[in-house]
Every structure is written in C-alpha cells, then in structure tokens.
C-alpha cells in the first residue's frame, strides 16, 4: 500500500480518487483536516476497504512511526501543506510549522523506517515530495520557462517554506540515501478546489453576485494544469522517475489572470445566463498582493522525454469541466463556505 499525506485537500483528494480508479493498491490517507481538508471530497470512498483515513498531523512523529510500522507502505506521497500564498502573507508561522518542520518530521520517520527494510524493499521504497513551481520565483516577460535547473528564488512565505522543504528532501537523499523524487508543478484547477484560490473564488463569487477581485493590473501570468493531469504525472514519476531527480509538471497554458476571469465569465454566461447581463460586470480591480510574482511558466519537457507524460486536458476542456463541476456541486460550495471561510474573506479583501 501507499501512504498519502494531505489526501483530504484539493490535489490530495483528487489523487486518492484517481489512484483507486487506476489500481486496487490501498491508500492510508493521513490528513490533519485543517480548514483546507474536507472528508466530503472522499465521500465516494465511504465503505471502500482500500481507503484508510487517519486524522493526524505530519508533525506528530509518534503517529507517523506507528503508521509506517503498522501499514508498511512501499511509498509515501507527501501533499500535506499550508498552500495559500495570501494566507502565508497574513500568517507565515503555520507554513514554517507544516511545510518545513512537518516535512522534516516525515523525512526522519521515513528514514528510520526505510533503514529497517530488507534490501529489495529498501530499493523499491519511494518518498515522493509534491512541490510547486513557485520555488523558482518570478519570470520576466519572454524569459524561458522554468527548467529543473532553474535557480531557487522564492518570494512569498509560502514559496520559501516549500523551497526549504525541497532542500530538505534533496539533502535526505544525498546524505542518507533516502530514495526520493520531487515534482514541481504549476497552478492546478479542477473539482474540490477550495474557493480561496483564483479559479474557484471567481466562479463562486460570480454565481453569488459578488465582486470578482482582480489583484493589481490582472496581467500576472500563471501556467494552469487540470488536477487529474497532475495526478497522472505523479503516478508516472512514482512508477518510473529516477531517484533523487526533480520533475517539473505543467500544462503548457500560460495565461494572464484577467483572461482566466473573463473565460470563467463567458462560460457562466453560456451555462447559467443572468437576466441582468454578463458576469463580467462584477470584475473589480483591487490592491495588489505584496511581493506578487509576475509570471510562472513550466518547461515540462523532461517528464515528457523521460516518462512519456503529457497533459490530457487543454485549458479550454479543463476549465469547462471545472465550471460545470461547481455548477453541479452547490452543496459542496455551501458547506466549505463556513464561518471560518467568511473570516478569511474579511481578513483578505475588506481592506483592499
Ligand atoms: P490544500 O491546501 O487544498 O490541501 C492541503 C491538505 O493538507 C489539507 O487537506 C490539509 O488538511 C492537510 N494538512 C495541512 N497541514 C497538515 C498537517 N500539518 N498535517 C497533516 N495534514 C495537513 O492544498 P493543495 O492545493 O491540494 O496542495 C497539495 C500540495 O500540492 C501542497 O504540497 C502544495 O504545495 C502542492 N502544490 C499545489 C499546487 C496548486 O495549484 N494547488 C500546485 C503545485 C503544488
Ligand atoms: P492563487 O490561486 O492564490 O494561486 P498562486 O498565488 O499560488 O499562483 O492566485 C492565482 C493568481 O490570481 C495570482 O496571480 C493571484 C491572483 N488572484 C487575484 O487576482 N485575485 C484573487 O482574489 C486571488 C485569490 C488571486
């Protein structure tokens, strides 16, 4: 079996569902259920013996030791993190605790477990660290996309904490021989995306007739990847990736934020037309994010060349599926927009 951390979050829950759709290999899913974790994402697995959910913190060494001893997973796929740049600006401490110290605890527990394995199991074991393109910093317009050799220049507390965790993972491989692989992926979107991030926020705000807050001039560029493409890339790297290597994962979809927002409005105009006119009337430019990275772009040729992976979705097919999913899951949206979500919206947008 495999042990997944953060498997009740956006990408982690998509990964668990995708994994069990492709294989019968069981998953132990360790998640602290912070504001970003939601067991409802995994409701379709209720009663499925292949999925074992454990609520707990990756910083709890005794718990990790117990899970590794009890389930003896052949791989650990590490998604758990504090993941929102804006939250990291308001409160960086949780990012250091989970992303840096939590990853350190997992690495140490994995190393202790791995060192007790026989030679064949030792060679087969994998620690797969899921990371982000944001560790590379911001690209100038026209500069070549990030390759795996790009210098690390993180600019937000979030990306700095992820960069630190990448460095720890690298060091545990080079110093102790722990069999690690790291993937650095661009911005994901799709089902179960918490509506504090750009794409789901714009969909749910438009449907609620609320402002669509575009930071600064809206010309910041991100490279967007449909979440199930990220899941298939992780499966490929886990199966065939070379030890100690990093693989960049991206969708070849560089788009300025304002274009994303306009595309969402156009899809909603088509799928849920409003009598009052286009949803674009809600677009509102607001104060920029401090330290806002101008552009990310991923060069995903290494994973294609070595592992034959390419994204299956284009941005057009993926964003249409995503908007449709949110239209069909109003109950999920209502549930995640609880009291603490409203507190966050006040903290981030009231003074913009
Ligand atoms: P998310 O915030 O939606 O989910 C994170 C999950 O981790 C939640 O279920 C949360 O409960 C859990 N968690 C948080 N702290 C924990 C702790 N201390 N112990 C155990 N569980 C804890 O994040 P996501 O968007 O699904 O991102 C998953 C991973 O992918 C992260 O490592 C992130 O850095 C990386 N990543 C995200 C993107 C993206 O676009 N969202 C892109 C590239 C990489
Ligand atoms: P986000 O989804 O937070 O991802 P990241 O910061 O990790 O790339 O934001 C994506 C882009 O959208 C980023 O350039 C910031 C911008 N953005 C807005 O313009 N308005 C918003 O309300 C949010 C949440 C993000």
């Amino acid at each position: 079996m495999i042990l997944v951390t953060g498997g009740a979050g956006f990408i982690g829950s998509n990964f668990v569902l995708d994994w069990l759709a492709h294989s019968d290999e069981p998953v132990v899913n360790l998640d602290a259920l912070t504001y970003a974790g939601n067991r409802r994402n995994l409701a379709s697995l209720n009663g499925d013996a292949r999925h074992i959910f454990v609520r707990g913190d990756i910083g709890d060494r005794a718990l990790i030791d117990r899970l590794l001893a009890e389930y003896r997973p052949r791989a650990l796929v590490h998604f758990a993190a504090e993941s929102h740049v804006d939250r990291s600006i308001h409160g960086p401490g949780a990012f250091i605790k989970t992303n840096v110290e939590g990853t350190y605890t997992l690495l140490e527990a994995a190393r202790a477990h791995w060192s007790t394995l026989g030679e064949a199991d030792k060679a087969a074991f994998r620690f797969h660290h899921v990371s982000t393109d944001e560790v590379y910093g911001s690209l100038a317009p026209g500069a070549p996309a990030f390759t795996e050799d790009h210098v690390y220049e993180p600019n937000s507390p979030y990306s700095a904490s992820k960069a630190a965790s990448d460095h720890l993972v690298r060091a545990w491989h080079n110093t102790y021989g722990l069999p690690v692989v790291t993937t650095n992926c661009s911005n994901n979107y799709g089902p179960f995306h918490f509506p504090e991030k750009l794409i789901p926020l714009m969909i749910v705000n438009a449907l609620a007739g609320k402002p669509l807050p575009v930071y600064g001039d809206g010309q910041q560029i991100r490279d967007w990847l449909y979440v199930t493409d990220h899941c298939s890339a992780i499966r490929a790297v886990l199966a065939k990736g070379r030890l100690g290597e990093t693989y960049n994962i991206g969708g070849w979809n560089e788009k300025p934020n304002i274009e994303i927002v306009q595309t969402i409005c156009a899809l909603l105009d088509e799928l849920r037309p409003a009598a009052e006119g286009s949803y674009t009337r809600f677009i509102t430019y607001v104060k920029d994010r401090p330290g806002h990275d101008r552009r990310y772009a991923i060069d995903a040729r290494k994973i294609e060349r070595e592992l034959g992976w390419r994204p299956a979705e284009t941005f057009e097919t993926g964003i249409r599926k995503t908007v449709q999913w949110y239209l069909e899951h109003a109950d999920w949206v209502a549930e995640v927009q609880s009291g603490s979500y409203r507190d966050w919206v006040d903290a981030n947008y009231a003074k913009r």
Side-chain angles (χ1 to χ4, degrees):
M1 62 164 62
I2 64 167
L3 173 60
V4 165
T5 70
F10 163 47
I11 305 173
S13 60
N14 276 284
F15 179 81
V16 170
L17 294 169
D18 181 76
W19 180 267
L20 293 174
H22 285 89
S23 123
D24 282 331
E25 186 174 13
V27 176
V28 179
N29 182 353
L30 172 66
D31 195 297
L33 296 180
T34 67
Y35 79 95
N38 186 353
R39 284 211 64 177
R40 190 164 175 168
N41 300 0
L42 302 155
S44 62
L45 296 175
N46 284 347
D48 190 327
R50 299 173 305 164
H51 178 237
I52 299 155
F53 185 81
V54 179
R55 182 172 190 177
D57 197 301
I58 57 167
D60 182 345
R61 176 67 193 267
L63 172 64
I64 314 294
D65 285 345
R66 185 170 66 67
L67 293 177
L68 291 171
E70 185 174 345
Y71 295 109
R72 305 185 64 77
R74 70 170 176 93
L76 201 160
V77 188
H78 176 32
F79 293 94
E82 289 292 336
S83 70
H84 187 193
V85 174
D86 291 317
R87 283 189 192 250
S88 82
I89 296 168
H90 287 258
F95 289 71
I96 304 304
K97 188 119 206 90
T98 286
N99 301 0
V100 185
E101 292 176 26
T103 301
Y104 160 73
T105 302
L106 270 186
L107 283 165
E108 277 295 79
R111 178 166 80 93
H113 168 73
W114 172 74
S115 66
T116 66
L117 300 177
E119 282 316 304
D121 287 345
K122 234 177 160 173
F125 189 79
R126 291 291 178 277
F127 185 106
H128 185 134
H129 179 54
V130 179
S131 193
T132 165
D133 61 356
E134 303 192 24
V135 297
Y136 298 126
S138 187
L139 282 172
F146 301 129
T147 64
E148 289 78 0
D149 299 323
H150 198 280
V151 63
Y152 269 43
E153 282 179 339
N155 293 315
S156 72
Y158 163 65
S159 54
S161 68
K162 291 297 290 188
S165 67
D166 292 8
H167 292 323
L168 292 177
V169 171
R170 174 189 163 89
W172 260 242
H173 175 68
N174 287 325
T175 302
Y176 303 113
L178 189 71
V180 308
V181 282
T182 296
T183 46
N184 294 87
C185 189
S186 62
N187 285 58
N188 285 215
Y189 67 101
F192 304 119
H193 204 181
F194 195 75
E196 64 181 3
K197 306 275 177 85
L198 179 74
I199 287 181
L201 180 89
M202 295 298 163
I203 300 171
V204 306
N205 276 18
L207 288 171
K210 293 184 179 161
L212 307 181
V214 174
Y215 296 167
D217 63 3
Q219 292 302 326
Q220 300 81 9
I221 291 174
R222 300 290 182 264
D223 167 30
W224 293 94
L225 182 72
Y226 192 66
V227 64
T228 50
D229 279 326
H230 189 183
C231 297
S232 69
I234 292 173
R235 279 192 282 108
V237 171
L238 193 57
K240 299 176 285 180
R242 286 188 291 131
L243 287 189
E245 291 289 318
T246 64
Y247 292 89
N248 283 355
I249 305 170
W252 303 103
N253 282 312
E254 275 187 66
K255 307 230 181 261
N257 293 338
I258 187 64
E259 195 179 315
I260 301 286
V261 178
Q262 279 160 348
T263 302
I264 290 168
C265 290
L267 280 165
L268 288 173
D269 287 341
E270 177 196 327
L271 299 169
R272 185 68 60 87
E276 300 83 356
S278 172
Y279 290 94
T280 52
R281 70 188 187 284
F282 295 121
I283 293 176
T284 311
Y285 288 89
V286 299
K287 194 164 153 235
D288 208 350
R289 171 190 278 173
H292 198 171
D293 286 336
R294 200 69 190 159
R295 174 177 167 236
Y296 305 139
I298 278 277
D299 181 334
R301 282 179 298 181
K302 177 177 174 182
I303 186 171
E304 179 168 4
R305 193 173 59 242
E306 291 193 12
L307 308 179
W309 177 88
R310 262 194 83 80
E313 301 287 346
T314 63
F315 186 71
E316 289 64 35
T317 59
I319 192 71
R320 179 174 285 274
K321 281 187 188 178
T322 304
V323 170
Q324 269 162 343
W325 189 89
Y326 279 87
L327 287 172
E328 287 159 13
H329 292 82
D331 51 342
W332 183 91
V333 172
E335 191 194 280
V336 299
Q337 289 178 316
S338 65
S340 66
Y341 176 77
R342 282 196 294 276
D343 293 345
W344 163 250
V345 171
D346 283 347
N348 194 42
Y349 296 100
K351 292 204 202 97
R352 273 204 142 91

